[in-house]
Amino acid sequence: MSAVGIVSSCSCLHPGIWLLKPGMHKMSFFGLHTATKCAAKDCYEVLVLGGGTGGIAMSARMKRKVGAGNVAVVEPSKTHYYQPLWTLVGGGAKQLATSARSTESVMPKGVEWIKSRVTALDPDKNCVWLENDIKLSYKYLIIALGISLQYEKIKGLPEGFDHPKIGSNYSVHTVEKTWKAIQEFKEGNAIFTFPNTPVKCAGAPQKIMYLSEAYWRKTGKRSKANIMFNTSLGVIFGVKKYADALLEIIKERNITINYKYNLVEVRADKQEAVFENLDKPGVTEVHQYDMLHVTPPMGPPNVLINSPVSDGSGWVDVDKETLQHKKYPNVFGIGDCTNLPTSKTAAAVVRWIYLLPAGNRLQQGDPSRI
Ligand SMILES: Cc1cc2nc3c(=O)[nH]c(=O)nc-3n(C[C@H](O)[C@H](O)[C@H](O)COP(=O)(O)OP(=O)(O)OC[C@H]3O[C@@H](n4cnc5c(N)ncnc54)[C@H](O)[C@@H]3O)c2cc1C
């Protein structure tokens, strides 16, 4: 990690506008909010916040543009996880270890890894603050902080995960509990939830249900399972074409869907899940379970809430065609932490990185294909 300190000015800035693509706001050395100078490694041509799918991929692309030593990624975790694999870990088809790599091993060569957490952003001064009051300056900033899991918004969680019969594929701490709960299921209700917030990979809450159903069929327990999908939404999936196909599968596999059911409490010691009926606010229903898969509420990372780079809901406020920030031209956002009208998936991140000009598909009104 670099030795970093207070920076008042930075000369690492090139006058070029290499990052720009057609349609982006032009900026130049003089267009930035500060003309900073950096002697030590406390100022970067490109600073990336977050070393997940979007951050690592963008840092590799940017290093090719500005050269080794000019790009840094701020990421606190020592382990990088390929989260889409967790569906298969929860379903018993993969080991958790296969989804993990050391962050060091995925950091592109020539990109500096700053092992810290960003605590505040000051885009008017082209700098961010890290833990221990460390300040870093940048010429360009890419924000890729992902989406935050909020298990604590459900009464009884996360401590309820200490009990059996409950799991959640969304966290590294609980994904293996899903497979255990599937295996230990004997008879009764198997409940799969979908929260009342944006989520990453909106398909994952259903995928684990279909995997569970197939496992119980294979092991002769299917006739003893009453499988329920309790979703806060009023539809099975946001895109009608896929919703129609899914409804046929749901019917064929004899699964019950309860629409507008939002999980608000888990009494794990009694194997009870409490749902609020969103059509009748304040009215709750208690469901006994023999297995419960929780998809937690999610929201923007805390550091983005009330940040100058965020919209009113806390998502990074970017142009949907270019990923450029709407107010700060040298700031960009990618992935789950942005307010892009795409689904929050790795697939959307990859699409933006490799096919950015095709972002104009959005104008054709088909965000689901991004
Ligand atoms: C169970 C599951 C199944 C999924 N299945 C699929 C699938 O089939 N297909 C698909 O396309 N997508 C899938 N996804 C979604 C996909 O993993 C995410 O959409 C993708 O990882 C988003 O990339 P990102 O870079 O925006 O965020 P992330 O990859 O989550 O990275 C965010 C990074 O920011 C870091 N960070 C957070 N706060 C700070 C801070 N304050 N300072 C510094 N760093 C910070 C985090 O440590 C993390 O490394 C799935 C996800 C899950 C959980």
Side-chain angles (χ1 to χ4, degrees), residues 32-326:
L32 295 175
H33 298 275
T34 56
T36 40
K37 205 175 234 176
C38 55
K41 262 293 165 214
D42 45 17
C43 180
Y44 294 88
E45 284 274 323
V46 180
L47 183 62
V48 181
L49 306 181
T53 307
I56 291 293
M58 282 310 296
S59 70
R61 291 274 297 212
M62 292 301 105
K63 193 213 66 183
R64 290 208 289 275
K65 290 233 178 231
V66 298
N70 294 316
V71 181
V73 175
V74 180
E75 167 61 54
S77 308
K78 287 188 186 140
T79 310
H80 174 101
Y81 289 100
Y82 179 62
Q83 300 166 49
L85 208 63
W86 291 350
T87 293
L88 298 182
V89 175
K94 289 280 176 193
Q95 294 294 314
L96 180 59
T98 60
S99 69
R101 297 281 183 278
S102 73
T103 299
E104 198 168 12
S105 70
V106 298
M107 200 58 65
K109 213 166 159 226
V111 170
E112 189 171 345
W113 172 23
I114 297 172
K115 302 181 191 80
S116 187
R117 179 176 291 278
V118 63
T119 55
L121 291 85
D122 190 350
D124 290 300
K125 295 194 175 130
N126 300 306
C127 71
V128 301
W129 291 91
L130 311 184
E131 292 163 319
N132 303 320
D133 282 342
I134 287 168
K135 183 178 164 185
L136 286 183
S137 298
Y138 56 81
K139 181 175 179 187
Y140 293 101
L141 181 70
I142 298 176
I143 307 171
L145 291 169
I147 192 169
S148 194
L149 305 178
Q150 301 170 333
Y151 287 103
E152 70 286 353
K153 287 203 168 164
I154 298 168
K155 195 174 167 195
L157 296 184
E159 61 277 15
F161 286 110
D162 292 340
H163 291 264
K165 307 273 181 186
I166 173 172
S168 174
N169 285 359
Y170 276 84
S171 160
V172 67
H173 305 297
T174 55
V175 58
E176 290 174 301
K177 293 178 193 290
T178 303
W179 176 228
K180 206 158 183 288
I182 293 170
Q183 288 173 290
E184 287 173 1
F185 176 87
K186 290 195 175 67
E187 60 180 327
N189 291 338
I191 307 177
F192 298 80
T193 73
F194 193 106
N196 193 18
T197 62
V199 298
K200 53 181 154 186
C201 193
Q206 282 183 65
K207 287 181 200 172
I208 188 59
M209 177 170 71
Y210 301 128
L211 287 172
S212 304
E213 197 270 346
Y215 176 78
W216 293 325
R217 234 183 311 133
K218 205 168 95 184
T219 51
K221 292 180 187 166
R222 179 61 186 92
S223 59
K224 294 176 182 167
N226 178 28
I227 303 177
M228 284 187 235
F229 189 61
N230 284 7
T231 172
S232 298
L233 304 178
V235 289
I236 185 76
F237 200 75
V239 182
K240 191 174 178 316
K241 178 176 157 189
Y242 303 119
D244 290 346
L246 287 166
L247 283 175
E248 280 181 30
I249 292 171
I250 293 262
K251 195 172 161 201
E252 179 196 305
R253 301 198 187 167
N254 191 25
I255 292 169
T256 303
I257 315 178
N258 292 314
Y259 292 114
K260 302 288 191 81
Y261 271 44
N262 185 35
L263 180 67
V264 292
E265 183 179 353
V266 177
R267 301 169 188 155
D269 54 336
K270 298 185 198 153
Q271 291 173 216
E272 288 177 356
V274 185
F275 293 87
E276 181 178 16
N277 184 333
L278 296 177
D279 283 336
K280 300 175 192 158
V283 176
T284 56
E285 214 171 275
V286 180
H287 288 194
Q288 193 78 34
Y289 64 81
D290 197 53
M291 190 224 152
L292 176 66
H293 179 267
V294 179
T295 300
M298 301 179 206
N302 280 342
V303 67
L304 292 177
I305 294 168
N306 298 323
S307 159
V309 298
S310 304
D311 66 12
S313 303
W315 307 108
V316 182
D317 195 15
V318 293
D319 181 287
K320 68 178 183 177
E321 306 293 340
T322 62
L323 309 192
Q324 188 174 31
H325 194 271
K326 286 183 186 157

